[in-house]
Amino acid sequence: MLFVCLVAGFFTADIISAEWTYDNQGNWSPSVCIEGPHQSPIALSTSLAEEADFPPFRMDGYWQNMSTILQNNGHSVTIRPNHQKHIPRIHGGGLSGKYKLDHLHFHWKSEHTMEGQRFPLEMHMVHYHEKYSSYQEASDYAAEGGVVVFAVLFYLSPDDVEEFNHVLKAVLHVQKHENQQTELDGFVIKNFIPMDVAGFYRYNGSLTSPGCNEGIIWTVFVHTLPISQAQVDVFRSIRTRHNKPLEENFRELQPLNDRHILIKISPVGVSAGQNLFAGNANVFLVIFISIKYCFSG
Ligand SMILES: [Zn+2]
C-alpha cells in the first residue's frame, strides 16, 4: 500500500511540475528557474547598456517561402520548418559559428521591456549551433553557447498588418485545443524581422520557460515592428489544456545581477521610435543613400 502511495505521489508531483503555467511562475521547476542568477527576460534600456561593436549579421534562407507547421502547444504558438531542405542559418553579430533555426514562437505581451515599455507582442526565434544534430542536443550544451535566441518586439498599430494575416488564419485553425497543429506554407521569416538588424541588445540569459536553461545568448533587436490589437487578440484566443483562453504568456522580469547588457547602435542612425517593415525600409534606405550621395558628391 505504501509503495502504491509513493508511486502515486511521485506521479502526482511529476504532473504538477510538468503543468507549469504563467499563473504559477513562483513555483516553476527545476530550481534554476527560481534560483538561477542569469535568468530571462530582463529590462533593457540604453542607460543600462554598454556600447559595443559587433560585425554585421549574415542571414541565409530567411527570405525564402518556407513550408512550416504551426502549433498551439498550450503555452504559445510555435512555427517550425517542415521538410525544409534549406534551414535558415545565421552567423556574425559576435556569435561564434553558424546557428540553425529550430522554431519561432510568440509571447503576448512582450517578455523583455525596452526603456520601461512592455510591448503587446514579442517573437522569439530559437536557433542552435550547427555542430549539434538537433535543438534537443544543443540545449544540453546551452552553457557553452549551444542555443541563441533572437527577439523582435511588436508595437501597437491602429491598422492590421498584412504580413500577419496569413499566419493568424492558421492560428484560428489551432485555437481550440492544445497540441493542435496545421500546415502553414509560404511563410517568410524576414517579413517578421526588422529591415535594420544592425541595432541590437546582447546579453547572456536563459530560456524564459521551464527548464529555464542558462547560457542562452540573447539578441533583442532595437527596431520594433507593428501589429494591431485585433491581431494580438487572435493570439490571445488560443486555448490551453484547461480549455481557457491563453490571455497572456509572458514571464516576469528577472534580476540582472552581475550581468552586463551590451548594445550595438545601428550605423543607419534611425531612432528606436521609428519602425520599419521591409517595404518602407527599402524606400527609406534609398532616400538615405540618395541624400548622402547628393551631399557628398
Ligand atoms: Zn519565448
Side-chain angles (χ1 to χ4, degrees), residues 30 54 74 76 99 102-103 106 109-110 123 172 189 202 207 230 265-266 273:
F54 293 109
S76 182
Y99 286 82
D102 180 67
H103 77 277
F106 298 89
K109 304 168 180 158
S110 72
M123 182 180 81
L172 289 173
I189 310 179
R202 166 65 50 77
L207 298 180
I265 309 278
S266 168

Side-chain angles (χ1 to χ4, degrees), residues 105 107 111 124 208:
H105 63 261
H107 297 270
E111 298 206 297
H124 288 163
T208 64

Side-chain angles (χ1 to χ4, degrees), residues 41-59:
I42 58 169
L44 299 168
S45 77
T46 48
S47 62
L48 282 176
E50 293 163 31
E51 203 174 324
D53 196 20
F54 293 109
F57 283 114
R58 301 285 176 217
M59 299 167 101

Side-chain angles (χ1 to χ4, degrees), residues 42-46 48 112-116 153 201 203 220 261:
I42 58 169
L44 299 168
S45 77
T46 48
L48 282 176
H112 292 91
T113 60
M114 279 202 290
E115 310 302 350
L153 305 183
Y201 287 98
Y203 79 98
V220 181
I261 305 171

Side-chain angles (χ1 to χ4, degrees), residues 7-19:
V7 169
F10 174 79
F11 279 111
T12 309
D14 198 42
I15 287 164
I16 288 167
S17 67
E19 271 202 33

Side-chain angles (χ1 to χ4, degrees), residues 45 72 84 108 146 156 216 218 227 232 235 237 239 278 292:
S45 77
N72 166 2
Q84 193 68 29
W108 49 91
L156 218 48
I216 309 294
W218 278 89
I227 187 168
V232 174
F235 284 109
S237 73
R239 293 186 167 264
K292 217 176 162 181

